[in-house]
Amino acid sequence: MNAHENARPAEMVDALNAVFGKHKAARSSHAKGVCATGQFTPSAKAPQWVRSSLFAQGDVPAVLRFSIGGGNPNVSDKSRTVRGLSVHLSNGAQAYDLMMISEPVFFAATPASFVAFLQARVADPETKKPDPDNIKAYEASFPDGKLQPRLLASHPAPASYATTPYFSTHAFRFVNSKGEGTWGRLVMEPVAGTVYLDETQEGDLPDAFLAADLESRLQTGAVQFDLYIQPAGPQDSLVDPSQLWSENLDGRLELGCLSVKATAADALCNPGVFDPMRLPDGIEPSDDPVLMSRSAAYSVSLERRQAADRDAN
């Protein structure tokens, strides 16, 4: 059995800190980001798939956070890392957190692979870069870690938080009022289309431009995303977020539209955590081991952030 077969939540956070360093009061992952507010408007068809009152007719308030992958709060906005979108929906009766990234796969199939992936990328003290031999050894033991880096390297960084799609990577069962269930992953498609930086922008833009870009877009109207269920195909894994799923665009199930209305102070997003296991009636988790591990790992990260704040005061 691999030493990290049952990696503890603290080990996962420690592995992130070893790669990105410890930054006072910052998240261990997706440290750099922008908080915002808006609303979710369910589609007329949504109740066919999900019985939750959040997907009945009527706008639902949304608190959300766009972010850049990794634990470095000073990372360049041009870095070829994932972008994140976390959304908290609540209507008073039920609440739902959506946790999504800008690639359709995660970088690890298990907590063990998560820890090993990061340990292989700890910088050598002399070269200040990861040792290629460590990465090769990791990939030999955990082939699930190859696909997401390959996808990220295949295109430039997103030109805007508003022009990248976001994916849940985890599978959930969506249940309607008749008890009929559909397994699927979630996809958030930008209404503005998918746009990446061109070569000129990659060279000329500053390392921090995404927040200002979002603010500028919001001056002229809401930034919108259409939310869909991508139904699982017969061969699609319900428990391995590192695997691509087959896709039939005509088979997507429309859930509604997220409208981002305004940026907000970090304080609105920082007191707690977005939790992918905060699910409303009619949405059930799979047995995905990464999904099962995330709530506890976020709690560890939050406790450390709060401790840093207390020590500072």
Side-chain angles (χ1 to χ4, degrees):
M1 180 179 289
N2 186 281
H4 300 290
E5 189 73 30
N6 297 305
R8 299 188 308 274
E11 286 183 272
M12 298 172 74
V13 178
D14 289 342
L16 286 161
N17 292 159
V19 174
F20 301 107
K22 295 182 179 180
H23 302 275
K24 177 184 163 184
R27 286 169 166 81
S28 298
S29 183
H30 290 263
K32 186 177 186 179
V34 180
C35 190
T37 57
Q39 66 186 36
F40 176 75
T41 304
S43 75
K45 297 179 179 179
Q48 295 180 33
W49 320 116
V50 191
R51 64 179 176 235
S52 169
S53 60
L54 293 170
F55 294 91
Q57 292 305 297
D59 295 335
V60 179
V63 174
L64 56 135
R65 185 174 184 266
F66 294 99
S67 60
I68 301 176
N72 180 4
N74 301 308
V75 65
S76 171
D77 290 4
K78 296 181 285 186
S79 64
R80 295 200 181 191
T81 54
V82 294
R83 302 298 177 260
L85 173 57
S86 299
V87 185
H88 176 74
L89 302 177
S90 177
N91 62 3
Q94 297 186 32
Y96 182 25
D97 285 359
L98 296 84
M99 307 282 290
M100 312 182 82
I101 58 174
S102 58
E103 297 295 342
V105 297
F106 195 58
F107 66 81
T110 64
S113 181
F114 180 101
V115 170
F117 179 99
L118 292 164
Q119 288 180 336
R121 286 161 174 77
V122 174
D124 180 274
E126 294 185 4
T127 66
K128 308 301 182 185
K129 296 180 180 180
D131 185 334
D133 289 337
N134 289 341
I135 294 177
K136 289 179 182 178
Y138 160 77
E139 291 179 344
S141 298
F142 297 94
D144 52 286
K146 294 180 181 180
L147 182 54
Q148 191 197 81
R150 192 158 65 237
L151 291 174
L152 286 166
S154 71
H155 59 75
S160 170
Y161 284 131
T163 63
T164 185
Y166 299 92
F167 306 87
S168 68
T169 73
H170 302 300
F172 299 89
R173 185 171 180 258
F174 300 88
V175 185
N176 64 19
S177 59
K178 298 178 182 178
E180 300 165 336
T182 302
W183 282 101
R185 288 177 175 177
L186 290 167
V187 180
M188 196 84 81
E189 288 285 1
V191 171
T194 299
V195 182
Y196 298 111
L197 297 176
D198 60 33
E199 288 187 10
T200 300
Q201 291 171 320
E202 280 199 288
D204 294 347
L205 280 171
D207 284 325
F209 71 90
L210 286 173
D213 169 85
L214 180 63
E215 189 67 57
S216 176
R217 289 172 183 268
L218 292 172
Q219 296 303 311
T220 61
V223 167
Q224 294 185 310
F225 298 86
D226 291 324
L227 179 65
Y228 299 92
I229 299 170
Q230 177 188 350
Q235 306 302 317
D236 294 334
S237 173
L238 302 180
V239 297
D240 185 349
S242 72
Q243 290 189 24
L244 274 175
W245 272 17
S246 57
E247 177 154 21
N248 174 2
L249 293 179
D250 293 334
R252 285 184 175 183
L253 311 177
E254 182 183 358
L255 287 180
C257 179
L258 175 69
S259 297
V260 184
K261 298 294 188 69
T263 56
D266 289 342
L268 181 63
C269 290
N270 284 349
V273 295
F274 296 91
D275 185 346
M277 291 295 284
R278 185 176 289 123
L279 302 172
D281 181 39
I283 302 181
E284 302 169 356
S286 69
D287 291 328
D288 176 341
V290 175
L291 176 61
M292 293 293 108
S293 72
R294 292 180 70 172
S295 294
Y298 291 153
S299 294
V300 170
S301 179
L302 177 62
E303 289 168 4
R304 293 182 182 182
R305 285 180 11 227
Q306 292 173 335
D309 284 339
R310 289 194 297 270
D311 292 344
N313 296 324

